[in-house]
Amino acid sequence: LSRGLGDVYKRQPYDLLVDSDGMNGDDGFHERILLAVPQSSPLAARTSLRLNDLRGQEFISVMGNRRFREQCSQLCQQSGFMPQYAYECTGPSTVRNLISLGCGVGFWPEYTWGAPGEGIRLLPIDDARCVRRIVLRCDASGDIRPLAEEFRAALQDELQLLASKTVSYTHLRAHETGR
């Protein structure tokens, strides 16, 4: 957990917490972090890239208080540069629209944001750290109310279904474009 958030979790009672905390540990749902680029970008011709290749790019991202944004900024910093944010948005649909219009590039979670749509190419990043993990945490006591348990089970099923669909989409798109 990020510094400080663990303390909040300890103080606040909860039945179930959905959290995204990078790639520490083996449990949870894992998804690669990809780079979404406009089809018009010279980067769109690439088959993959390294984080360092993104130095100097203008990024489109969700606002800074989101866990995903924090993780992506840290990945850039660990690669020796600070990402330059051209736009910060409230959600993935706006990120998608601005990237497709050629306003910049952005990090894209492989499963949870769905397919990026027309005008955008997803590129794998050659860095094992470009993974995020979504975990479902129960209260430290282990007690969970029946409704929270139903939600946990439904969310796990949905994430697994989403992963199987998106993996097929990513594989097919690579095959369609010959990349």
Side-chain angles (χ1 to χ4, degrees):
L1 294 173
S2 311
R3 169 175 252 145
L5 286 177
D7 294 336
V8 171
Y9 296 154
K10 289 176 191 170
R11 286 182 294 195
Q12 308 253 342
Y14 57 86
D15 283 313
L16 183 68
L17 176 69
V18 179
D19 189 21
S20 172
D21 68 348
M23 54 181 286
N24 299 324
D26 294 328
D27 62 335
F29 173 80
H30 294 80
E31 65 181 343
R32 292 184 304 166
I33 297 172
L34 307 170
L35 186 73
V37 301
Q39 288 287 358
S40 59
S41 168
L43 292 173
R46 309 265 308 259
T47 57
S48 67
L49 45 78
R50 294 170 301 145
L51 281 169
N52 203 31
D53 297 335
L54 304 177
R55 185 185 307 268
Q57 294 290 321
E58 290 192 332
F59 285 85
I60 313 296
S61 179
V62 290
M63 293 188 161
N65 62 347
R66 305 260 176 116
R67 206 58 164 308
F68 182 67
R69 154 75 187 277
E70 291 173 16
Q71 182 183 1
C72 294
S73 291
Q74 287 174 354
L75 288 167
C76 291
Q77 290 170 13
Q78 291 167 359
S79 294
F81 70 97
M82 293 291 294
Q84 302 301 310
Y85 292 101
Y87 296 95
E88 293 181 326
C89 313
T90 56
S93 62
T94 308
V95 172
R96 174 185 296 118
N97 292 339
L98 289 171
I99 292 171
S100 71
L101 291 171
C103 297
V105 302
F107 291 106
W108 196 270
E110 183 176 22
Y111 307 125
T112 53
W113 286 8
E118 294 298 316
I120 296 177
R121 176 137 158 50
L122 291 179
L123 297 171
I125 301 169
D126 294 330
D127 189 319
R129 297 172 299 164
C130 290
V131 174
R132 83 170 179 165
R133 181 175 71 127
I134 299 171
V135 293
L136 303 173
R137 300 185 191 280
C138 293
D139 182 280
S141 70
D143 295 334
I144 186 167
R145 289 179 256 203
L147 187 57
E149 176 58 33
E150 284 180 46
F151 175 75
R152 183 201 60 75
L155 184 57
Q156 281 184 321
D157 290 347
E158 186 63 28
L159 288 173
Q160 289 172 350
L161 179 63
L162 186 60
S164 67
K165 287 181 180 179
T166 307
V167 166
S168 299
Y169 168 80
T170 303
H171 177 71
L172 288 174
R173 286 292 290 165
H175 180 70
E176 286 173 7
T177 59
R179 297 177 184 154

